[in-house]
Each structure stands twice: as C-alpha cells, then as structure tokens.
Amino acid sequence: MTFFSNKIYTEMINLESRYMGLKLRNPIVAASSGLTNSVENIIELEKNGIAAVVLKSLFEEQIHYSASHTLMQDEYTNLYPEAKDYIRNYTAENDLNTYLRLIENAKKTVTIPVIASINCISDTEWIAYAKKTEAAGADGLELNIAVLPSDPNRESSENEKIYFNVTRKVTNELKIPVAIKLSYYFSGLAKTLTGLSETNIKALVLFNRFYSPDIDVEHEEIKSSFVFSTPADIAMPLRWIAMLSPIVKCDIAASTGVHDGTGLIKMLLVGADVVQIASVLYQKGFREIGSMIDQLESWMDRHNYRNIDDFKGKLSIAKTENPAAYERIRFMKYFSGIE
Ligand SMILES: Cc1cc2nc3c(=O)[nH]c(=O)nc-3n(C[C@H](O)[C@H](O)[C@H](O)COP(=O)(O)O)c2cc1C
C-alpha cells in the first residue's frame, strides 16, 4: 500500500522508480506546462502524489519578445539606443530571475525532484541558462530542443547536428542530470535517438507535443489546433518506446497521450521508466494522479507484480513474442480486421 492509496493489498506494492538518476516514489511526473509554473501548483501536485515536476520551459525567444514588447510601449519610443539596450537587458534579466526564483522557492517548499526546462536559440544562451538553473538548485534539466526540418535545402544531418551540439555543450558544463525532450521529426529516428542516448544525457523524453496549425474554414483563417492530447495520441510514443527502450543507453520518459492508469501501465510495459503527463491534469485536475496510482497498484496486484521492474519492458520489441507488431505499418485486412 502506498501513501496515496486507500486500498490494502495482501503484499506490499512498491512503485519506487528511478529516472535520470533521481529516486522517485512512483513513475508519474508532471510534464512541463503552465501547471508547473507556480510554487502553489507544485505543492498541490506533490500533495496529490506526483513523483517529480518539470517546470514550464524558459523560452529564450519569449524573453527577447517580451523585452522588445516593453520597448514598443509609447513611453520608451524616444529613448537613446543605450537606454533601450538597458531596458531590453533589464526586462530579459527580470524574466530569467523570475524563473530562477521559481526553482529556488519550489526547492525550498517541496521534497520531490524539481526539473527545470529550457528552450534556447543561441549556443551561448543554452549554456548560460543551463548553468543558472543548476545554480538555482534544480535537481535536473530538460532541454526542450525543437527544430522543424522544413528547409528543403538543409540536409537532415545538419538539423541533427544541432541536437548533438547543444547536448554536448550543456552536459559538459553541468553536474546535474540532463534529459532531452524532442519530437519524432527525424528521417533516421532510431539512429538519431540511440546516438543521442550515447552522449552524456540521462534521459530521452519521447515525445514533445507542439503547437500545430489548423484552419477555420468559415473565416478561411489559420487557427491553433487542439492544445490538449487525446488518449489515441499514445500510439506514436508507444510504438517508438517499445522499439527503442531495449537499445537506448539512457532512461525514457513517455510523453503524449497518457490520460489514465491504463496509459501509464502500457508505457511501462513497453519500457518507459516514467510517464510525463500534462493534458489530463488540465482536463481532469490533479486528483487524477491518485486514480492513476490506484489503477497501477490494483493492476499490479491482480498480475502478481510487487515492483515496477517486475514488468517494465515486458512488451518491448526485445521481449514480446510478437515483435513484428511494432514494425508493421500497413493496414492490411489480416492485421487490422477491417477491409
Ligand atoms: C498548455 C501546455 C503548455 C505546455 N508547455 C510546455 C513547455 O513550456 N515546455 C515543454 O517542453 N512542453 C510543454 N508542453 C508539452 C507537455 O509537456 C507535454 O509534452 C505534452 O502536452 C504531451 O503530454 P500530454 O499528452 O500529457 O499532454 C505543454 C503542453 C500544454 C498542454
């Protein structure tokens, strides 16, 4: 029986998990989102049973944007260039300091690991921001790296080089464990991810969910598509974690489409070390964490598992009796049951 469960099992069930070298009380982590952007929410997440939090990403682009936005206000339009530089730097510094204070205050208040998250554009800022989050007391750092391979004149290897360069530079400078959160937009996904896992990172977060455009047909305008995932979105990370977990050299956090205990169990079965959840917390509230823990424990009890390691990766491509199921991509009638 865990602290959050109200059920009694005949034998003790242990949900303890390890992720990025950090000891967690269970395998459920709050993904980076607006919900992890305040100490109050982090306290509530901890109370509801979350094992660790990844803070909202600090976006270099957003910092530049808000500094420029400040300068666009009427009162600043006639200033000297030096004064504008001062205000730009001051605003940027202020945003950065707010983030660093969030890390410090969260660390003072909760006992669960607090993982910072950054998304930068320039090489120098990746390193500078990373070092500052470490100095502020973060237990780990997630690099939210996003390169859309949309330039038809750019080789895929050039895009991949960005991931390797950022990773190498940041891990060379930091003592705290580093994870990379990325998308599936790679032509050689398995090769790139196994290559990245062989650097000094401690985990891969598979996968990020990005802003996607949609079309409003009445107004013939571009709009934002759904911000939140659905349980059906689990399919993409599930396949790739099943195929990659036996071969990568670091931990894996499953992200996207985990909305309940069943989704959590599926991800552990294919080899994820933890899941990261965001949409379900927005849609159902923090109490859902307790339900997910209950579902996991009662499933483990029914299946006679006492520890997560008893079943983690049992259905990965290396262990399943049907590895072809993960490799298959065509909807043939025989496999899908539908003509
Ligand atoms: C409102 C919202 C804000 C998010 N902000 C961030 C962010 O700042 N950094 C990041 O790496 N991911 C961010 N994400 C992505 C989530 O961390 C997560 O990877 C994604 O939503 C998929 O998980 P889910 O299916 O549980 O929602 C955000 C997601 C949502 C819904």
Side-chain angles (χ1 to χ4, degrees), residues 31-34 55-57 59 117 142 144 181 207-209 227-229 255-259 276-280 282:
S32 174
S33 83
L55 302 181
K56 170 90 187 141
S57 297
F59 291 97
S117 167
E142 201 172 272
N144 170 4
K181 184 176 188 183
F207 295 103
N208 207 344
R209 178 178 166 79
V227 173
F228 300 126
S229 67
S255 162
T256 300
V258 176
H259 279 239
Q276 292 194 4
I277 52 169
S279 294
V280 67
Y282 276 100

Side-chain angles (χ1 to χ4, degrees), residues 164 167 180 190-204 244 247-252:
F164 283 92
T167 304
I180 329 177
K191 183 164 170 47
T192 305
L193 296 190
T194 45
L196 285 167
S197 80
E198 285 157 9
T199 65
N200 286 329
I201 60 160
K202 294 284 182 267
L204 288 165
L244 291 168
I247 51 174
V248 295
K249 302 281 184 291
C250 66
D251 294 340
I252 294 181

Side-chain angles (χ1 to χ4, degrees), residues 128-281:
Y129 285 18
K131 283 169 123 176
K132 285 183 177 165
T133 59
E134 179 177 67
D139 294 294
L141 177 65
E142 201 172 272
L143 305 177
N144 170 4
I145 313 183
V147 180
L148 191 70
S150 54
D151 181 347
N153 298 314
R154 225 175 133 81
E155 294 291 337
S156 55
S157 57
E158 288 177 71
N159 289 327
E160 283 146 23
K161 216 183 273 171
I162 297 173
Y163 291 82
F164 283 92
N165 280 346
V166 168
T167 304
R168 189 174 26 92
K169 284 183 179 153
V170 171
T171 52
N172 277 349
E173 297 284 338
L174 258 58
K175 291 192 187 68
I176 55 172
V178 175
I180 329 177
K181 184 176 188 183
L182 23 70
S183 76
Y184 39 81
Y185 293 132
F186 293 94
S187 50
L189 184 62
K191 183 164 170 47
T192 305
L193 296 190
T194 45
L196 285 167
S197 80
E198 285 157 9
T199 65
N200 286 329
I201 60 160
K202 294 284 182 267
L204 288 165
V205 184
L206 308 178
F207 295 103
N208 207 344
R209 178 178 166 79
F210 294 119
Y211 160 82
S212 293
D214 193 7
I215 301 292
D216 175 339
V217 292
E218 277 319 311
H219 299 96
E220 299 182 17
E221 275 174 1
I222 301 167
K223 60 173 188 175
S224 167
S225 72
F226 296 112
V227 173
F228 300 126
S229 67
T230 70
D233 292 325
I234 203 173
M236 176 73 90
L238 183 125
R239 174 199 290 265
W240 286 104
I241 294 170
M243 298 214 283
L244 291 168
S245 63
I247 51 174
V248 295
K249 302 281 184 291
C250 66
D251 294 340
I252 294 181
S255 162
T256 300
V258 176
H259 279 239
D260 53 21
T262 307
L264 162 66
I265 295 163
K266 286 181 190 180
M267 288 306 201
L268 297 171
L269 277 170
V270 295
D273 296 281
V274 295
V275 299
Q276 292 194 4
I277 52 169
S279 294
V280 67
L281 296 176

